[in-house]
C-alpha cells in the first residue's frame, strides 16, 4: 500500500518544511531541497532527522 496523495500533501520535511516526494520503488520520501531521504516502514513515514539518509 502506497502513501495516499492526501497524506503526502500534508507531510513536510522536518528540517526545512519543504515538499516531500514519494519514491515508491525505494520505499522512501525525499526532500530535494535538503537532499535527505526518509524511510517508509510498514507504510509509516519515519520523519526523524537522526534516521534520514543524505543523498
Amino acid at each position: 500500500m502506497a502513501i495516499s496523495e492526501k497524506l503526502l500533501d500534508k507531510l513536510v520535511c522536518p528540517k526545512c518544511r519543504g515538499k516531500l516526494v514519494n519514491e515508491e520503488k525505494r520505499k522512501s520520501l525525499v526532500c530535494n531541497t535538503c537532499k535527505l531521504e526518509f524511510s517508509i516502514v510498514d507504510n509509516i513515514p519515519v520523519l526523524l532527522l537522526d534516521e534520514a539518509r543524505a543523498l
Side-chain angles (χ1 to χ4, degrees):
M1 181 176 168
I3 293 181
S4 72
E5 289 297 318
K6 189 174 181 179
L7 176 60
L8 188 59
D9 287 341
K10 295 179 188 219
L11 295 176
V12 296
C13 173
K15 185 173 182 181
C16 73
R17 302 289 183 219
K19 182 172 174 58
L20 294 171
V21 177
N22 189 9
E23 296 287 337
E24 288 187 37
K25 291 182 182 179
R26 295 175 62 147
K27 295 185 181 177
S28 65
L29 298 174
V30 173
C31 175
N32 289 317
T33 304
C34 296
K35 304 293 186 216
L36 292 175
E37 180 179 48
F38 301 92
S39 297
I40 299 173
V41 179
D42 295 329
N43 295 321
I44 299 170
V46 181
L47 299 178
L48 301 173
L49 288 175
D50 293 341
E51 300 282 327
R53 293 183 299 272
L55 296 177

